[in-house]
Amino acid sequence: MNHLKKLKRSKQVAEVLLKYGLDDLFGQGSLEHWLPQPLVAKLTCSREMRRRPLAQRLRLALTELGTTYVKLGQMLSDRADLLPADIIAELRQLQDRVQIQPIDMTETLARELNIVAADEFAVLETVPMASASIAQVFSGSLKNGQRIVLKIKRENIEDAIDADLLVLRDLAHFLERHHETFRKIRVMRLLQAFEESLREELSFSHERRNLERFARNFREDKRICVPKVHGHLCSDNVLCMDFIDGIKVNETNRLEKFGLSPKAVAELGLSLYVKQVLEHGFFHADPHAGNILLLPDGRIAFIDMGAMGVLLPQERELLEDFVLYFSQKNVNKMLETVKLLAEDYESADERRLAKELYEIMDLLDATDLRDIGMGKLLQKIMAVFSDNQILLPDGFMLLVKGLAQIEGIGRQLYPDLNILEMIQPYAAQVVARRWSPQKLLRDQVGKLSDSYENWLALPEEMKTFLQKIRNKEIKLEHEVEGLERLRQTFERLGQMLVVSALIIGSAILSLDTHLPKLFGVSWLAFVGFVVAGVLGVRLIWRRNK
């Protein structure tokens, strides 16, 4: 069945690409074999269409192909590091153009939630307040009077997207195999990231988990409003949450009615977004003005959380390192950090990369960052990485996009917005956290624990190694010299293991708040540290003797 869907959709895609003169991308005859010759002749691109710029023809083709292709174009519109400026400009004009899909609300809710709609809802509108390519949104209220919105997935949308993704995989394989340009920008990797993002957007269960996690992250922050999810009225195709009565954050003409200044709103929005990134590592992936609402009481609400960016703790630390080294103009350390961050670094030309990073820093010396913009600066850095064949995790691309969007809204509200001033308090927190005694102790305990585990694993590995020699799987021809020196080395290793175990045990005991204290730590931990210190000094003295 999938093969038939794919074949049918492939012919439709080929027709559209021929119509807009995009067949040259695939080589002569590569698309025509899908279609009958009379139809090929009929669909051949007109001279008038050929005269139009390639970027415009591409936008028109994606629009005609529908939801999946429009969303792909929208994703690519944020990749200024990969695509020319004229194509980016056209792709940013892409919009979903969908009609309202009639829906039997009672039957849909009974099928999806196993409920009688009248038992749960006092009011439920049948005409959507918003209609997008994947879902329609309806307003209503619960029996207790709480106003809600009900997001319902369009019928058969997943089947249509599945067929499109099958065709896109074939197109991407072809382009990457036959064109150096597409191979360089890793078309298959881009498509994989797009498919993962689209699958997440299609799953309302995923969006529900995102909302609940976001609410937990900000449960103590009174500056933000997160809509409550009504779990018993949710499924993978239906999402029910509280209605947020607010205005778009960039509606400056309505801010005065709330008694709020554009500057305060800009700083609040940016502050909350930076907190999402640096404190939680879980941030809104598409913070455009339509997804950020301002409430009459001054709180901000982020909505539509189908797509969220995630930075792992280690990635956040490496990001902090990169920013620190960038501020110090320490290019060597920057390159070391990028190596740890990158998913693919092998083909990078480090000399060229260092030169281009220096050029960006020279630009900053000559120009105020407020004149460049943090978003554009990050895009320049990402473009340098892309040109040097460095592949970073998807979370970083979403971060660059999100910061550019949130900064754009902020500058629209308050042109003199200084993003560096907004970040400074968080930067100070980062430095304090990095050098806190608890962090240093935790890092050292972790390193000692790793060493201890490696040491414990050594006998088993040696046993396996010796077994392979006994089975003649490994042959050794080696003359052993300095056997006594080797014995002393193993003796010292054993003593070091004892010292490490003492330090780890004492560190754990120091966290116990119930034991009697001596010099601020439990007396057992203090004794352990003292013994470990004495043994450590003895080891060093004997080594230098």
Side-chain angles (χ1 to χ4, degrees):
M1 190 66 177
N2 282 341
H3 181 72
L4 292 175
K5 288 180 183 177
K6 175 182 171 182
L7 183 61
K8 181 180 178 181
R9 187 54 171 157
S10 295
K11 289 187 176 183
Q12 294 172 347
V13 171
E15 289 175 11
V16 173
L17 295 178
L18 280 169
K19 177 181 175 181
Y20 291 100
L22 299 175
D23 49 308
D24 289 346
L25 294 174
F26 301 89
Q28 188 64 31
S30 295
L31 293 177
E32 285 86 338
H33 79 276
W34 286 101
L35 305 168
Q37 282 303 315
L39 186 57
V40 171
K42 182 180 177 181
L43 289 173
T44 299
C45 183
S46 65
R47 289 184 179 179
E48 180 184 352
M49 182 61 68
R50 287 277 186 194
R51 291 194 194 102
R52 296 192 182 189
L54 172 63
Q56 187 180 101
R57 286 184 278 134
L58 178 62
R59 174 178 59 81
L60 292 171
L62 293 175
T63 300
E64 186 166 329
L65 286 170
T67 297
T68 308
Y69 291 84
V70 168
K71 287 192 171 294
L72 177 61
Q74 289 171 335
M75 183 201 79
L76 292 174
S77 70
D78 296 310
R79 296 305 303 265
D81 57 315
L82 298 178
L83 300 176
D86 60 331
I87 290 181
I88 292 292
E90 286 289 338
L91 293 180
R92 285 179 177 166
Q93 298 180 44
L94 284 169
Q95 292 182 343
D96 291 331
R97 296 177 181 176
V98 292
Q99 295 179 340
I100 292 176
Q101 185 182 69
I103 181 174
D104 185 331
M105 190 70 72
T106 301
E107 190 275 332
T108 299
L109 295 179
R111 182 183 68 247
E112 289 293 333
L113 305 176
N114 194 29
I115 63 168
V116 176
D119 293 342
E120 298 288 344
F121 301 96
V123 177
L124 196 54
E125 300 294 338
T126 56
V127 177
M129 59 186 293
S131 184
S133 56
I134 288 179
Q136 299 183 118
V137 180
F138 301 84
S139 63
S141 62
L142 301 177
K143 287 290 188 178
N144 62 7
Q146 173 63 49
R147 294 180 66 189
I148 55 92
V149 292
L150 204 61
K151 188 174 179 180
I152 301 178
K153 193 184 302 179
R154 285 178 175 268
E155 291 186 11
N156 304 318
I157 187 65
E158 287 178 293
D159 290 340
I161 287 176
D162 286 342
D164 278 334
L165 290 172
L166 289 172
V167 176
L168 280 170
R169 287 191 205 113
D170 284 350
L171 293 177
H173 272 300
F174 182 92
L175 291 172
E176 199 164 89
R177 192 165 58 246
H178 292 90
H179 292 273
E180 175 62 28
T181 300
F182 291 99
R183 192 157 49 247
K184 181 179 178 181
I185 66 174
R186 297 181 177 91
V187 170
M188 285 303 301
R189 179 68 179 79
L190 284 172
L191 181 60
Q192 180 185 355
F194 169 69
E195 182 172 350
E196 290 173 359
S197 174
L198 191 55
R199 296 287 184 200
E200 290 179 353
E201 192 175 349
L202 281 167
S203 171
F204 290 175
S205 298
H206 178 79
E207 183 171 355
R208 173 189 171 183
R209 289 192 295 271
N210 286 344
L211 278 162
E212 290 170 344
R213 177 177 175 181
F214 196 83
R216 288 194 301 272
N217 289 345
F218 282 94
R219 59 182 175 272
E220 302 297 333
D221 197 323
K222 304 303 181 184
R223 302 172 299 166
I224 196 168
C225 173
V226 184
K228 177 186 175 182
V229 176
H230 300 276
H232 68 293
L233 299 175
C234 295
S235 72
D236 203 50
N237 297 318
V238 176
L239 183 64
C240 181
M241 69 189 89
D242 286 351
F243 175 78
I244 301 295
D245 188 11
I247 62 172
K248 289 183 180 180
V249 73
N250 63 343
E251 294 186 67
T252 53
N253 58 328
R254 299 178 65 182
L255 293 182
E256 296 178 0
K257 295 181 180 179
F258 290 174
L260 301 170
S261 73
K263 177 184 177 183
V265 173
E267 291 178 345
L268 175 58
L270 182 59
S271 173
L272 289 172
Y273 196 74
V274 170
K275 184 175 182 178
Q276 292 174 40
V277 175
L278 295 184
E279 287 194 26
H280 306 309
F282 184 70
F283 56 93
H284 202 295
D286 192 21
H288 60 73
N291 282 338
I292 307 176
L293 301 180
L294 183 66
L295 279 66
D297 59 9
R299 290 182 297 163
I300 278 182
F302 289 82
I303 61 173
D304 193 3
M305 296 189 184
M308 300 291 288
V310 177
L311 293 179
L312 300 175
Q314 182 184 13
E315 291 174 338
R316 292 211 303 274
E317 287 197 5
L318 290 171
L319 176 63
E320 293 165 1
D321 288 342
F322 184 85
V323 173
L324 176 63
Y325 298 140
F326 186 87
S327 66
Q328 297 171 347
K329 298 185 179 180
N330 190 335
V331 170
N332 289 333
K333 285 290 187 180
M334 288 166 64
L335 294 180
E336 289 179 11
T337 305
V338 171
K339 284 181 184 178
L340 295 172
L341 271 173
E343 293 181 356
D344 184 1
Y345 187 89
E346 296 302 322
S347 56
D349 182 342
E350 290 200 1
R351 182 174 296 181
R352 175 190 170 194
L353 178 59
K355 179 177 178 295
E356 292 177 346
L357 288 174
Y358 272 122
E359 288 174 355
I360 291 176
M361 288 186 286
D362 289 341
L363 174 65
L364 278 176
D365 285 341
T367 314
D368 194 316
L369 179 59
R370 281 178 290 185
D371 297 330
I372 301 173
M374 179 65 76
K376 288 185 178 179
L377 173 64
L378 291 172
Q379 287 174 353
K380 283 180 180 291
I381 294 173
M382 298 307 290
V384 167
F385 292 159
S386 178
D387 289 343
N388 285 275
Q389 304 293 291
I390 296 172
L391 182 64
L392 292 178
D394 293 332
F396 285 88
M397 302 310 305
L398 293 175
L399 173 59
V400 171
K401 168 192 172 184
L403 283 174
Q405 286 178 308
I406 206 78
E407 184 186 28
I409 295 170
R411 288 183 182 275
Q412 182 182 350
L413 291 169
Y414 182 63
D416 292 330
L417 180 70
N418 189 333
I419 193 169
L420 285 182
E421 288 183 0
M422 297 299 303
I423 292 177
Q424 279 178 355
Y426 293 97
Q429 290 177 20
V430 167
V431 173
R433 186 175 69 248
R434 285 290 188 91
W435 293 101
S436 68
Q438 296 90 341
K439 174 69 165 55
L440 294 175
L441 177 61
R442 188 165 59 249
D443 288 348
Q444 293 306 313
V445 169
K447 291 177 181 178
L448 287 170
S449 179
D450 289 342
S451 300
Y452 180 69
E453 289 175 3
N454 291 336
W455 173 255
L456 290 179
L458 185 59
E460 188 63 32
E461 292 175 0
M462 286 293 294
K463 180 179 178 182
T464 303
F465 179 68
L466 292 173
Q467 185 66 43
K468 287 186 176 182
I469 295 175
R470 192 177 298 117
N471 294 339
K472 298 183 179 180
E473 296 176 29
I474 299 176
K475 292 184 178 180
L476 291 178
E477 293 182 7
H478 191 71
E479 182 179 348
V480 179
E481 294 182 358
L483 195 58
E484 178 60 24
R485 188 176 177 183
L486 182 63
R487 186 192 64 77
Q488 293 174 356
T489 300
F490 273 101
E491 183 180 331
R492 282 199 298 272
L493 282 172
Q495 293 170 350
M496 288 170 64
L497 178 61
V498 173
V499 172
S500 300
L502 276 170
I503 294 175
I504 293 171
S506 301
I508 293 171
L509 286 171
S510 69
L511 301 176
D512 193 321
T513 58
H514 302 293
L515 293 173
K517 302 288 184 180
L518 187 62
F519 297 108
V521 297
S522 67
W523 69 271
L524 278 175
F526 180 79
V527 171
F529 282 130
V530 170
V531 173
V534 171
L535 290 176
V537 171
R538 181 173 177 270
L539 274 173
I540 295 171
W541 179 77
R542 289 187 63 183
R543 181 180 178 182
N544 296 328
K545 188 175 177 180

